[in-house]
Amino acid sequence: MSRMPLPLDRHIKPKLVGYDPTRPRPGVERLAYTLFFGSLWALVVVAYGLVPALFRSQGWLDGALGFFFYAVIEALLAFGIAAVVALILIVVLRKYLGKVQERVGPMHYGPAGVLQTVFDALKLLGKEDFAPANVDPLIFRLAPAITFVSAFLMLVAVPVAGGWVMADLNVGLLFIVAASTLGAYGVVLGGLAQGGKWGMLGAFRAGAQLVSYEVPLALALLAVGVYSGSLRLSDIVEHQQGLWHVVPMFIPFLVYLVASIAELKSTPFDLPEAESELIGGFNTEYSGMSFAFFFLAEFVELFLLPALVVVLFFGGWHGPLFGLDPASFAAQALQSFYFLVKTAVWVWIFMWIRATLPRFRDDQLMDLAWKGLLPLALFGLILAAFLRMFVEVV
Amino acid sequence: MSLRFKTREEFDEVVYAVHPEDYRPLLEQLKGEGFDYPRNLTGMDLEYGLRVVVHLTRLADGAKVTVYTDVPYDAPELPSITDLWPGFEWFEREAYDLVGVRFRGHPDLRRILTEDHWTIHPLQKRYDTGGYELPGWQPKPWPEVADWEEAPEGDEGGEA
Amino acid sequence: MGLLGSEARPQNIIVGTLDDVINLARSRSLWPLTFGIACCAIEMMAAWTPKVDADRLGMFFRNSPRQADLMIISGTVNKKIASRVKRLYEQLAEPKWVVSMGACANQGGPFRQGYSVVEGVDKIVPVDVYVPGCPPRPEALLQGLLLLRDKIADRKLRYQQPRVALTDYDVFAEPGKDGRVPVL
Amino acid sequence: MRGPTQILPTDRADEMLINMGPQHPATHGVLKVVIGLEGERVTRAVPHIGFLHRNHEKIEEARTYPQIITYTDRMDYVSGLQNELPFILAVEDLLGVEVPDRAKYLRVIFFELYRLASHLVWLGTGMLDFGAITPFLYTFRDRERILEIVEKTAGARMLPNYFTFGGVRRDVHPDFFKDVADFLDFFEKRLPDYYALVLDSPVFQARAVGVGVLPKERAIARGASGPVLRASGVAYDVRKAEPYDAYPEIEFEVPVREEGDVYARFWVRFKEMEESIKIIRQAIEKTPKVGPYKGKVPARMKVKGSRYRAVEISRGHLGAHVVGDGTDRPYRIKHRSPSFANLQLIPDLLVGARFADAIAILSSLDPVFGEVDR
């Protein structure tokens, strides 16, 4: 008994939970959501609008040194956007799940619980980053980084407003496919490198699932590329000036929606993680910051895949401009606002699906990919080609 | 050879007290009579030996029977009835684990509730609640049943 | 240990402040391990459901011990599972805490004198908070978790976490040979 | 040998052995199953139990009869109150105690309330295994209302120790019948939600129909009981086969389904919830408004003789074999628990299924380890 410290805590009176679940605080929560959205929008305006405009107006981009600094600053801002998006989405998802499930979600730390994710991140920073004895150390450490970087890479090609894009690639669609495929590597390698059986099962499932759903996903993207006549994402958005792609490209839209939920590894396609079957699947043995990177990548993707839905099918940044000159700064800021609002709606739909459905079985998943989505995607591709010909003839 | 057993009525069921050598033949006969549902199998320590009690029922009309037999401490062996009612597989393992009755012909007679390396059968009366041997515990004399046509003495639920 | 030690309180004021911040974060983000043993596990689950909802205090279950901070021993620990409980505790990533929930985990509960029951989980793992009750109500568990939160974060308390179990209990001991006083 | 049981390495090159449990979210407690996997297909399944063995039967020999009721509560802790009944009925038989009518009906009401509570816990945790989180929160919210009603009368939530020899321990709270009626109205409105989230969900149907089929003969031979048996087409319900308390005077149906798959086991439990609502409504109507709630019981209970009684708890046929030697403590008590018998089906059902199906089958068997290991 002597090894126990003296009970110094006898004087502590635990603060009773002074919260009445029957009296929610919608005002505070609404304010918090507004702040979340506003801060994200501000960051986007700074990263996509102000910094490039500043560099261009001063002519710093001509020199090599100036371009180097520009690239570094942009990369940091992109990382900032990814981090802020993840921090916001984690707490929003938890609060939304709470709302669906008739509870309240995190609400005690910070007004309406907005600081919860900050505390989580700080805690994971201070947590032991443990590697079991039989891991492959290099790949074990590399896998979370690969997953996060691939999610982060996709952000570069997404246009948020007319002319506001970090890298306006002429092969933007292919770049997106390539970057999202890279993410599968991180998951598979992470599962295999940890030397545990649950991780291995998770890696097998992840490999099968992500590779299978890459195919219909790429075909759906290709259909959009064929229809709009360009692989550049900003051209695709411009092409939706009159009619959003969701109307003529409805079949590729459905294929993309299902395949992107599978890419996201969220229910009903969360087999690689499958918390109730495989403990944590590919991330079973990860702790501390390595785990945080997987977590972060998941939520960056939860932002980017809905953002691509908006870019490809829902008119991207298009919206009423109230007579503003489309090339002006104010108009571009307004366009980025439209883009973010549409993305937020789609993020909500993705969360809704996640909160409602049970999980598929692995063979049903494969059936859906190869027997259902692939023929549908091919049909969509042919349809897109016919529509393109029709548009060009008329 | 006729089976050596005694029957009596208790509440709503027929109770068979049976000689251990005729335990399995009697149960085979009952199985033939349509008692298809295994209700329960209890192993218990009577301080002169071990007893196995089998409760069966017939799903068709709800008739119930109870069969019990006693085996001595030095040879606690009975034939297994898992092939008649596979549902008794774990019940026999439990009776072996906790009371110490060994069932011949059981497909997988291992300990089930306690650890494999334990040596005691904790529900025997020679152990106290904590699993320690009671000091000065002595087994009682075996109540001889000379003629199975007479009621066996002192088998009414065990003696204190 | 993680980035910053939690037991040693350094003299350096900057590191000390950072330590406090990390401790604050740790106390506000306690993720328990999904490990229910017995009756108390149902009440433990009930503490995460709409009526009580411990998720609003930033706690949610992780299934892998590597990602959990906290282990709630919710039920009777018997001799067969004792070695597993000990191993799970060792698998938790540092820093880690243990909440003993219910009478059985505290000292054996109604089954205390039995041959197969470990008389309190503190014999095999160090325990930070004991929650009494059989089973404790979800609110009682929540109060225990709040106590743990305040223990971790309170600067004045200088809470020294127990690092070793109370006894070097032999988790494989057979009844009759485990050195307890016989019950007669 | 000291230490945990060693699992020998498999002798097949294409088989992988994994230890599922005792800490695994889908084992509903502390079951351990050694599963051999060939890809995603289960090639062998060896269950190991006993991780919650709490020497119920030994420690009850050292307790007096009224003390033992407290212990029986802790067997199937999800449907706590129901476990007291077989032991109490057996002792009442041996003592020849008469139970007054009011107590009989009160017992039925509480019994069925706990069946609802238990099936709600099963539904929530079972859907967690299927990957859906939301039903878990909904079912526990409804269960809280039941526990609040029980708490008002019995004083405790989960394990109230309320039944006693000759009746119930105290009379019900004045609001009791109104509370129960209110809850039933509320719960009837909730049931369509559960149907929509679970039974009618196409994803769930794809996972459950035709999975883990248990043939009728095998179910009977293995001694399966409760919804597992009735989903295989056997209409065996202890409430009908050997009626106890006020069940003979109450009209209800035993839901039976022939398929024997996971979907059938879910369906049977859903229908049982509906039947429970009917039973409680009838029992509230028929309960005598006044009258004793407890019969006459000898002050010094000297129980002699041997008796086996069974009741139908949420998981099936729970029996108590009480052997008394004429003192105030039992000579031997054996609890026959339904999940113990049902779990013997694990090798039958799991081998050949896919791994995700194995989880689904385990959740449809609905074991509670307090009663499996005792």
Side-chain angles (χ1 to χ4, degrees):
Chain A
M1 289 305 284
S2 59
R3 272 184 261 171
M4 275 289 279
L6 283 175
L8 291 171
D9 53 337
R10 211 173 287 156
H11 66 283
I12 287 193
K13 290 198 185 71
K15 290 175 207 118
L16 285 178
V17 190
Y19 171 72
D20 179 10
T22 57
R23 194 176 66 83
R25 292 159 196 168
V28 180
E29 292 193 2
R30 224 170 283 142
L31 186 68
Y33 291 135
T34 316
L35 279 177
F36 282 157
F37 192 84
S39 59
L40 183 62
W41 188 35
L43 201 60
V44 164
V45 167
V46 168
Y48 288 87
L50 287 180
V51 173
L54 178 71
F55 273 73
R56 240 176 259 126
S57 66
Q58 300 295 320
W60 291 342
L61 281 176
D62 303 335
L65 193 66
F67 187 78
F68 174 73
F69 274 113
Y70 173 71
V72 167
I73 290 173
E74 283 293 290
L76 284 177
L77 282 171
F79 181 78
I81 290 175
V84 166
V85 159
L87 286 183
I88 290 174
L89 280 188
I90 291 171
V91 73
V92 167
L93 176 67
R94 283 173 74 173
K95 286 193 84 73
Y96 177 69
L97 283 182
K99 195 140 276 178
V100 171
Q101 293 158 357
E102 301 199 3
R103 43 191 191 92
V104 283
M107 64 158 304
H108 280 274
Y109 306 135
V114 292
L115 291 180
Q116 185 56 57
T117 330
V118 179
F119 283 133
D120 286 346
L122 275 174
K123 184 215 56 181
L124 284 172
L125 195 71
K127 188 120 179 115
E128 178 190 22
D129 204 345
F130 185 81
N134 52 349
V135 299
D136 186 332
L138 177 69
I139 299 178
F140 186 74
R141 294 291 176 217
L142 207 58
I146 294 175
T147 313
F148 180 68
V149 166
S150 74
F152 176 52
L153 271 182
M154 278 196 269
L155 186 67
V156 177
V158 176
V160 299
W164 282 17
V165 57
M166 286 193 181
D168 199 8
L169 302 169
N170 55 1
V171 289
L173 274 182
L174 294 182
F175 180 79
I176 295 280
V177 174
S180 74
T181 313
L182 195 61
Y185 273 99
V187 171
V188 173
L189 290 178
L192 288 178
Q194 63 186 251
K197 289 174 178 173
W198 301 116
M200 195 170 87
L201 281 173
F204 289 163
R205 283 183 171 188
Q209 173 179 336
L210 297 183
V211 170
S212 305
Y213 279 85
E214 257 345 299
V215 180
L217 185 81
L219 284 174
L221 293 183
L222 202 60
V224 175
V226 166
Y227 180 66
S228 58
S230 170
L231 294 179
R232 191 192 294 266
L233 288 176
S234 45
D235 287 355
I236 291 173
V237 179
E238 284 298 343
H239 190 257
Q240 305 179 48
Q241 186 72 52
L243 182 67
W244 289 358
H245 278 166
V246 65
V247 180
M249 297 278 94
F250 189 69
I251 292 171
F253 162 69
L254 283 183
V255 173
Y256 178 82
L257 193 62
V258 176
S260 65
I261 293 172
E263 283 290 305
L264 193 57
K265 302 185 286 294
S266 93
T267 45
F269 302 108
D270 62 338
L271 282 99
E273 250 178 292
E275 298 228 324
S276 60
E277 292 169 21
L278 302 184
I279 317 276
F282 59 89
N283 62 32
T284 305
E285 299 285 348
Y286 281 97
S287 62
M289 278 317 276
S290 310
F291 170 66
F293 269 104
F294 276 126
F295 215 57
L296 219 57
E298 191 187 331
F299 282 89
V300 173
E301 284 195 349
L302 179 58
F303 173 75
L304 281 176
L305 293 169
L308 282 172
V309 174
V310 171
V311 167
L312 298 173
F313 300 102
F314 280 85
W317 62 73
H318 288 308
L321 285 181
F322 307 112
L324 287 168
D325 175 19
S328 69
F329 187 83
Q332 281 166 334
L334 192 61
Q335 283 173 338
S336 67
F337 179 76
Y338 289 143
F339 170 77
L340 286 178
V341 168
K342 288 179 191 173
T343 307
V345 171
W346 272 99
V347 167
W348 168 65
I349 292 173
F350 272 52
M351 287 179 178
W352 187 16
I353 294 171
R354 187 188 182 120
T356 315
L357 288 179
R359 182 188 305 129
F360 274 117
R361 204 169 59 205
D362 51 336
D363 54 332
Q364 293 163 349
L365 193 81
M366 292 295 120
D367 280 359
L368 184 64
W370 295 105
K371 295 183 190 163
L373 288 186
L374 189 63
L376 206 62
L378 284 170
F379 178 68
L381 184 61
I382 296 165
L383 193 72
F386 270 107
L387 284 175
R388 176 78 195 168
M389 280 163 63
F390 180 73
V391 167
E392 279 190 355
V393 167
V394 176
Chain B
M1 193 186 89
S2 61
L3 302 177
R4 286 164 288 176
F5 63 83
K6 281 285 305 170
T7 59
R8 63 173 188 273
E9 291 271 337
E10 240 177 43
F11 299 101
D12 53 348
E13 46 195 298
V14 186
V15 181
Y16 292 79
V18 65
H19 190 277
E21 284 171 13
D22 294 336
Y23 166 73
R24 195 184 150 91
L26 176 69
L27 284 166
E28 277 171 358
Q29 189 183 321
L30 288 174
K31 169 87 179 177
E33 286 171 21
F35 287 95
D36 49 355
Y37 188 76
R39 287 207 322 161
N40 184 25
L41 187 146
T42 309
M44 54 194 286
D45 181 13
L46 292 175
E47 302 190 53
Y48 58 83
L50 306 176
R51 171 174 291 183
V52 170
V53 189
V54 179
H55 299 263
L56 298 168
T57 187
R58 186 157 51 200
L59 290 186
D61 59 351
K64 297 185 272 284
V65 290
T66 302
V67 179
Y68 68 82
T69 186
D70 294 352
V71 287
Y73 277 130
D74 46 358
E77 283 209 353
L78 277 178
S80 169
I81 50 168
T82 45
D83 50 339
L84 304 177
W85 294 277
F88 280 146
E89 185 180 337
W90 280 18
F91 285 88
E92 287 189 350
R93 277 177 72 182
E94 190 194 339
Y96 161 68
D97 183 0
L98 298 182
V99 184
V101 189
R102 283 164 179 76
F103 293 92
R104 282 191 308 271
H106 189 283
D108 183 21
L109 194 64
R110 287 179 292 127
R111 284 181 175 265
I112 185 167
L113 293 178
T114 60
E115 288 265 37
D116 288 354
H117 65 266
W118 284 18
T119 51
I120 69 167
H121 299 289
L123 251 64
Q124 288 184 355
K125 292 283 179 185
R126 73 180 66 183
Y127 302 110
D128 76 344
T129 314
Y132 292 85
E133 284 214 33
L134 287 167
W137 183 88
Q138 286 295 329
K140 291 178 180 160
W142 182 264
E144 282 300 329
V145 186
D147 184 5
W148 278 91
E149 298 305 313
E150 296 170 14
E153 287 172 25
D155 60 353
E156 187 72 28
E159 293 73 24
Chain C
M1 225 33 247
L3 197 65
L4 300 157
S6 70
E7 336 73 332
R9 186 163 292 273
Q11 298 301 310
N12 186 322
I13 185 76
I14 295 169
V15 178
T17 313
L18 189 55
D19 202 21
D20 287 336
V21 171
I22 293 280
N23 272 344
L24 189 74
R26 279 172 181 164
S27 72
R28 261 63 177 163
S29 157
L30 287 168
W31 295 355
L33 175 70
T34 317
F35 183 43
I37 301 180
C39 332
C40 298
I42 307 293
E43 291 296 63
M44 178 176 79
M45 288 196 275
W48 266 260
T49 50
K51 193 178 166 192
V52 180
D53 190 19
D55 188 32
R56 62 201 155 101
L57 295 157
M59 304 167 187
F60 70 95
F61 281 108
R62 294 300 312 173
N63 293 326
S64 167
R66 306 282 184 214
Q67 294 145 18
D69 309 302
L70 165 70
M71 191 164 151
I72 301 174
I73 311 285
S74 56
T76 319
V77 177
N78 76 359
K79 288 186 179 166
K80 198 165 177 178
I81 207 172
S83 57
R84 275 79 163 182
V85 169
K86 197 167 177 163
R87 175 181 290 185
L88 274 174
Y89 175 74
E90 285 157 2
Q91 280 178 340
L92 289 175
E94 293 275 353
K96 51 195 173 186
W97 293 275
V98 177
V99 172
S100 159
M101 180 185 182
C104 294
N106 291 348
Q107 44 83 355
F111 308 100
R112 182 172 169 78
Q113 297 156 344
Y115 57 86
S116 75
V117 170
V118 176
E119 296 177 343
V121 73
D122 50 7
K123 288 196 163 50
I124 47 175
V125 293
V127 174
D128 295 271
V129 173
Y130 298 85
V131 181
C134 186
R137 304 173 61 89
E139 294 89 335
L141 176 65
L142 198 65
Q143 184 177 2
L145 293 172
L146 287 177
L147 266 173
L148 178 65
R149 181 193 77 178
D150 293 348
K151 271 183 159 181
I152 297 168
D154 200 321
R155 295 180 60 184
K156 274 174 278 182
L157 195 62
R158 292 166 191 274
Y159 172 56
Q160 297 278 315
Q161 199 186 353
R163 307 303 302 175
V164 285
L166 282 183
T167 57
D168 42 358
Y169 186 85
D170 182 4
V171 290
F172 301 125
E174 212 178 321
K177 294 165 191 163
D178 52 1
R180 287 188 295 183
V181 183
V183 189
L184 296 177
Chain D
M1 191 188 74
R2 287 166 69 81
T5 315
Q6 294 295 312
I7 300 302
L8 294 176
T10 171
D11 49 352
R12 291 174 48 189
D14 51 356
E15 191 184 38
M16 178 173 79
L17 286 186
I18 53 174
N19 284 315
M20 201 173 98
Q23 186 262 332
H24 187 282
T27 53
H28 293 247
V30 287
L31 172 67
K32 171 179 164 185
V33 191
V34 180
I35 287 186
L37 281 183
E38 191 186 302
E40 287 263 346
R41 197 161 287 284
V42 178
T43 52
R44 70 170 94 176
V46 184
H48 292 253
I49 62 171
F51 292 99
L52 192 52
H53 181 52
R54 304 195 271 196
N55 48 69
H56 265 279
E57 289 167 8
K58 184 78 177 177
I59 212 158
E60 282 165 9
E61 290 171 11
R63 299 282 182 270
T64 60
Y65 285 96
Q67 283 174 332
I68 291 167
I69 302 177
T70 318
Y71 284 89
T72 54
D73 256 351
R74 279 151 184 78
M75 287 199 304
D76 180 356
Y77 41 78
V78 178
S79 52
L81 201 52
Q82 298 183 338
N83 299 275
E84 302 167 358
L85 208 48
F87 168 68
I88 289 174
L89 289 175
V91 174
E92 279 171 357
D93 275 0
L94 290 175
L95 288 174
V97 172
E98 278 294 314
V99 183
D101 267 2
R102 186 173 160 87
K104 280 184 177 174
Y105 282 104
L106 286 182
R107 278 183 183 180
V108 167
I109 295 174
F110 275 95
F111 204 80
E112 295 298 325
L113 277 179
Y114 267 82
R115 188 186 309 277
L116 284 178
S118 164
H119 280 350
L120 284 173
V121 172
W122 153 79
L123 182 60
T125 52
M127 286 315 283
L128 271 188
D129 296 347
F130 278 87
I133 325 160
T134 309
F136 169 72
L137 282 298
Y138 287 177
T139 55
F140 266 70
R141 171 206 58 199
D142 294 353
R143 174 178 174 268
E144 287 290 332
R145 291 200 47 166
I146 300 179
L147 297 187
E148 280 166 14
I149 294 170
V150 174
E151 195 181 2
K152 248 180 169 174
T153 292
R157 273 162 56 88
M158 242 176 84
L159 313 172
N161 188 11
Y162 179 62
F163 296 162
T164 185
F165 307 110
V168 294
R169 208 168 281 277
R170 60 181 75 81
D171 209 349
V172 291
H173 192 273
D175 297 346
F176 177 74
F177 294 106
K178 191 180 161 298
D179 284 350
V180 175
D182 285 353
F183 167 75
L184 292 182
D185 294 343
F186 163 81
F187 186 66
E188 257 186 345
K189 288 198 201 87
R190 284 295 177 188
L191 263 177
D193 281 4
Y194 296 137
Y195 272 100
L197 272 172
V198 183
L199 276 193
D200 300 340
S201 156
V203 181
F204 173 79
Q205 286 178 356
R207 285 287 304 275
V209 173
V211 168
V213 177
L214 175 64
K216 187 175 181 177
E217 293 73 28
R218 193 67 186 159
I220 296 174
R222 275 292 197 186
S225 55
V228 179
L229 184 65
R230 291 195 282 278
S232 293
V234 186
Y236 174 65
D237 188 322
V238 185
R239 287 176 292 179
K240 291 277 191 198
E242 8 180 336
Y244 48 92
D245 286 343
Y247 280 109
E249 283 98 61
I250 289 175
E251 282 175 24
F252 64 100
E253 281 167 21
V254 179
V256 177
R257 210 173 158 103
E258 296 294 326
E259 290 91 338
D261 55 1
V262 171
Y263 184 83
R265 295 195 267 277
F266 270 67
W267 183 90
V268 166
R269 290 196 177 94
F270 264 85
K271 291 295 168 196
E272 273 188 12
M273 288 201 267
E274 288 181 358
E275 290 300 322
S276 286
I277 295 175
K278 271 191 224 162
I279 294 172
I280 299 174
R281 287 228 167 100
Q282 289 182 43
I284 290 178
E285 239 171 60
K286 292 186 178 175
T287 310
K289 292 290 164 282
V290 286
Y293 56 88
K294 192 177 169 190
K296 207 164 162 54
V297 183
R300 302 191 58 186
M301 303 181 68
K302 297 209 178 295
V303 180
K304 189 160 171 60
S306 157
R307 180 73 174 130
Y308 179 83
R309 277 304 290 264
V311 300
E312 182 79 17
I313 65 163
S314 323
R315 277 157 194 81
H317 175 117
L318 179 83
H321 184 203
V322 181
V323 181
D325 56 357
T327 60
D328 59 347
R329 283 152 214 255
Y331 190 77
R332 172 85 165 94
I333 290 181
K334 156 87 184 170
H335 299 292
R336 188 268 193 208
S337 47
S339 301
F340 183 76
N342 287 352
L343 278 188
Q344 298 181 73
L345 295 163
I346 284 181
D348 296 335
L349 291 179
L350 258 57
V351 173
R354 299 187 80 82
F355 184 65
D357 289 342
I359 307 287
I361 293 166
L362 278 181
S363 81
S364 76
L365 289 181
D366 187 24
V368 167
F369 282 85
E371 54 153 338
V372 175
D373 299 339
R374 298 183 301 280

